[in-house]
Amino acid sequence: MKNLAQANYSSALETVKALKNKFGSTWSAITPESAARMVAQNRFNTGLEIAKYTASIMRKDMAAYDANPANYTQSLGCWHGFVAQQKMISVKKHYKTTDKKYLYLSGWMVAALRSEFGPLPDQSMHEKTAVPALIAEIYDFLRQADAIELNDLFRRLENGEDVQEQIDNFETHVVPIIADIDAGFGNEEATYLLAKKMIQAGACAIQIENQVSDAKQCGHQDGKVTVPHEDFIAKLNAIRYAFLELGVDEGIIVARTDSEGAGLTQKLPVSQEPGDLAAQYLDFVECEEVSLDEVTNNEVLLKRDGKLVRPVRLANGLYRFREGTNIDRVVLDCITSLQNGADLLWIETPTPHVGQIANMVNRVREVVPNAKLVYNNSPSFNWTLNFRTQVYDAMVLAGEDVSEYDRTNLMDAQYDGSELCRRADEKIRTFQVDGAREAGIFHHLITLPTYHTTALHMNDLTEGYFGEEGMLAYVKGVQRQEIRKGVSCVRHQRMAGSDLGDDHKTFFSGDNALKAGGEKNTSNQFESKCVSVSKEPVTL
């Protein structure tokens, strides 16, 4: 029945009927309608099908952005399949479509939350297998969301409701995922092998950074060490070969540069001819002019502008880049990556400043006009402080009175209702629109939102539940809000697949099926007829 993989209900029904006739009485217990329903509820049978489908979506969205930067895309980082599932269910509920809404898989969160070693820093110490495992898990949960919603629709159809159009035009919860491969977890062969596993799990877009694999640091920490362009290009090639081998011809490579905040290199490349990439990389290395008499044994020397120079080497063997070269290195990294197979760029920045991002992207676009960014709207930034400072400085430049503000203490809550802070919050609100229009940002993501929301919500619930509020803290702060806001998992048994399983057991066992959804199932208390779901803000 592999020909049923993406067939609609009607064609699946005819196929199963033909198979029943072929195999005769041994298939007498198989109901074509039930089998066709199960086929319709499972659009994707493999991760590769998902990767091909979602890659085509991203390519279409990239073309739409090139035509109009208002067509930018967004995602949130998810560290568990359930988190991704609830995100996409909420997207469909609130916006009626998953259009231009993606998922992001953060290497930081894999390290911090998914490693068998326990919580780890973002330094590529976690098992590489954890990355494709999480991709597969996310898509398992998204496919389950499809099956549950379609199963509900089929139940309603059987009960006489006119929902056939909703079934025929059903939009899957499966969306593109941009997946972090860190620095490739080794050499180019290691990168290729891991990329294959990630693609087979469903990833259509792989993000890779230009740091040294065995010295990898979080992009928002110090101590980052970059690699020569030739080394990075080899890894871009490895990922492209992985996509091509697996038949994902439209697979997307996101090339990330950490050069803005990286001041070190581990390796001095070999220049083959004047002005080549190796020579340009070497020109960024900090050197000091020396004479042969000053050189000791086993030192590395370069010839630069007709002079003998010695690269500045630290005690750990690493070489230092010249101060002030970081932006030039970023621009060269980006141009080189796009000219060697990358589709999208990622620039790690120290602050979320549209003007600063645009300055770098516009320089890249002088060479590659359609250069586009994936940008990390990172929780590592203090967004409130950054934008209050930006607005303060703009007010000073415009000659406005800022005497009521202390620039060194703009986080103070006393300023929360002020004009300065109102302007700052408005700039935060429009940051994604502004960045898409002015700085070439095609995709906005937040890497670690669900890490922080989980911690925040547990803080609030814990404070009330173990205090005087007791059980009211849960009921008032969680369950009552779930009911009134129509959050799907308020009926957690259904969300875990109980209703779906009951129907499957009926298909398999008929009247002998032992089902969970009877009168004594307490989830019946949450039937929609018993609750009023408000679309307005809830006041409790």
Side-chain angles (χ1 to χ4, degrees):
M1 292 172 54
K2 63 182 179 180
N3 58 316
L4 299 182
Q6 299 202 25
N8 59 29
Y9 177 87
S10 299
S11 62
L13 181 65
E14 295 306 313
T15 301
V16 177
K17 285 180 178 178
L19 287 169
K20 279 199 68 170
N21 289 332
K22 176 180 178 180
F23 290 101
S25 61
T26 60
W27 283 39
S28 60
I30 301 299
T31 305
E33 289 77 11
S34 298
R37 176 169 153 181
M38 294 176 75
V39 168
Q41 290 171 190
N42 180 34
R43 177 172 179 179
F44 305 99
N45 288 326
T46 68
L48 279 178
E49 289 179 5
I50 290 172
K52 293 174 184 178
Y53 167 75
T54 53
S56 67
I57 290 174
M58 279 196 70
R59 292 288 178 181
K60 174 181 68 69
D61 288 346
M62 289 161 66
Y65 175 83
D66 287 339
N68 183 352
N71 294 316
Y72 64 90
T73 57
Q74 299 168 289
S75 68
L76 295 172
C78 299
W79 54 272
H80 193 279
F82 175 72
V83 176
Q85 179 196 68
Q86 292 305 302
K87 173 197 159 183
M88 295 317 304
I89 288 173
S90 297
V91 164
K92 286 190 69 176
K93 180 180 76 173
H94 292 297
Y95 303 102
K96 312 306 178 189
T97 178
T98 62
D99 186 43
K100 296 180 177 60
K101 308 296 190 294
Y102 300 172
L103 292 163
Y104 179 67
L105 184 150
S106 161
W108 194 102
M109 284 210 284
V110 174
L113 300 171
R114 300 301 299 250
S115 172
E116 292 183 11
F117 291 105
L120 295 170
D122 183 22
Q123 296 173 1
S124 289
M125 294 190 289
H126 56 280
E127 313 88 333
K128 64 177 70 176
T129 53
V131 183
L134 178 54
I135 297 168
E137 176 184 290
I138 285 172
Y139 282 125
D140 281 345
F141 273 81
L142 296 183
R143 287 186 288 186
Q144 187 202 41
D146 281 359
I148 289 170
E149 186 176 337
L150 279 164
N151 192 64
D152 289 347
L153 288 170
F154 277 114
R155 281 187 168 192
R156 291 168 60 188
L157 187 68
E158 290 174 351
N159 290 331
E161 291 189 54
D162 184 14
V163 294
Q164 188 62 55
E165 184 178 351
Q166 294 181 54
I167 293 173
D168 293 342
N169 297 308
F170 180 79
E171 185 176 24
T172 178
H173 295 83
V174 170
V175 296
I177 187 167
I178 298 174
D180 185 0
I181 198 172
D182 280 11
F185 286 85
N187 61 19
E188 57 268 41
E189 174 68 3
T191 302
Y192 153 76
L193 293 171
L194 179 55
K196 276 183 62 176
K197 290 295 184 183
M198 293 168 68
I199 298 162
Q200 288 168 333
C204 72
I206 293 178
Q207 166 217 332
I208 185 166
E209 61 207 60
N210 68 335
Q211 291 192 47
V212 176
S213 288
D214 59 358
K216 192 265 181 194
Q217 297 275 26
C218 171
H220 293 277
Q221 292 184 316
D222 204 355
K224 294 182 290 294
V225 184
T226 61
V227 299
H229 295 96
E230 294 90 339
D231 292 15
F232 191 59
I233 291 169
K235 292 187 176 183
L236 297 180
N237 292 338
I239 296 171
R240 182 62 65 202
Y241 274 109
F243 273 125
L244 293 173
E245 178 183 340
L246 296 172
V248 185
D249 301 342
E250 295 186 299
I252 289 100
I253 299 174
V254 182
R256 168 176 147 180
T257 173
D258 284 272
S259 290
E260 199 286 334
L264 302 169
T265 184
Q266 189 180 58
K267 187 176 178 181
L268 298 178
V270 177
S271 176
Q272 303 294 334
E273 56 185 58
D276 63 12
L277 277 175
Q280 293 178 69
Y281 192 81
L282 289 168
D283 282 342
F284 291 126
V285 175
E286 182 178 347
C287 296
E288 53 191 5
E289 186 177 348
V290 294
S291 66
L292 283 177
D293 293 337
E294 298 174 282
V295 177
T296 60
N297 289 336
N298 301 316
E299 287 202 274
V300 175
L301 302 177
L302 297 174
K303 182 181 178 182
R304 179 180 289 175
D305 298 327
K307 299 175 182 178
L308 192 64
V309 297
R310 177 172 53 201
V312 174
R313 184 162 55 173
L314 306 181
N316 56 16
L318 298 175
Y319 297 92
R320 196 162 59 201
F321 289 115
R322 289 186 288 114
E323 286 288 331
T325 64
N326 55 335
I327 302 302
D328 290 337
R329 285 185 279 124
V330 166
V331 172
L332 181 60
D333 292 345
C334 290
I335 292 170
T336 301
S337 293
L338 291 174
Q339 290 177 335
N340 287 276
D343 302 290
L344 296 168
L345 301 171
W346 175 312
I347 300 173
E348 281 289 359
T349 66
T351 60
H353 192 294
V354 171
Q356 292 173 0
I357 302 165
N359 176 58
M360 292 182 281
V361 173
N362 288 336
R363 288 181 59 186
V364 175
R365 284 182 160 181
E366 290 174 5
V367 181
V368 185
N370 69 338
K372 294 179 283 295
L373 280 189
V374 172
Y375 188 73
N376 178 9
N377 293 224
S378 176
S380 293
F381 301 139
N382 185 332
W383 286 77
T384 301
L385 182 59
N386 268 291
F387 279 84
R388 288 183 181 183
T389 302
Q390 288 179 38
V391 170
Y392 180 97
D393 292 344
M395 291 172 71
V396 170
L397 191 63
E400 297 184 51
D401 182 12
V402 293
S403 59
E404 67 179 285
Y405 306 109
D406 177 2
R407 191 181 187 278
T408 65
N409 194 31
L410 292 175
M411 276 296 296
D412 196 307
Q414 68 172 310
Y415 299 134
D416 285 357
S418 67
E419 173 62 15
L420 181 149
C421 296
R422 185 197 65 77
R423 293 189 200 178
D425 283 353
E426 179 62 11
K427 285 177 69 69
I428 293 171
R429 187 187 71 81
T430 63
F431 175 79
Q432 296 188 350
V433 174
D434 297 339
R437 181 185 64 251
E438 299 173 23
I441 301 176
F442 159 73
H443 185 77
H444 282 278
L445 61 90
I446 306 177
T447 44
L448 320 175
T450 51
Y451 180 88
H452 291 278
T453 54
T454 301
L456 176 62
H457 293 160
M458 286 311 300
N459 173 79
D460 295 348
L461 177 59
T462 298
E463 181 182 22
Y465 179 74
F466 292 102
E468 291 186 3
E469 280 191 293
M471 191 60 195
L472 181 61
Y474 175 79
V475 173
K476 181 180 177 182
V478 181
Q479 189 180 81
R480 194 177 296 168
Q481 298 230 30
E482 287 180 306
I483 293 170
R484 292 182 177 173
K485 294 181 179 180
V487 176
S488 60
C489 65
V490 69
R491 294 176 59 204
H492 50 261
Q493 307 286 15
R494 168 190 170 275
M495 200 67 253
S498 183
D499 292 355
L500 181 66
D502 274 359
D503 285 358
H504 288 173
K505 285 185 280 188
T506 302
F507 300 164
F508 308 152
S509 303
D511 293 337
N512 294 329
L514 182 63
K515 296 188 286 187
E519 292 182 4
K520 294 185 178 181
N521 189 321
T522 58
S523 288
N524 295 335
Q525 298 172 42
F526 299 101
E527 290 292 342
S528 57
K529 64 183 178 183
C530 301
V531 298
S532 175
V533 177
S534 173
K535 294 183 179 179
E536 301 301 321
V538 178
T539 302
L540 298 173

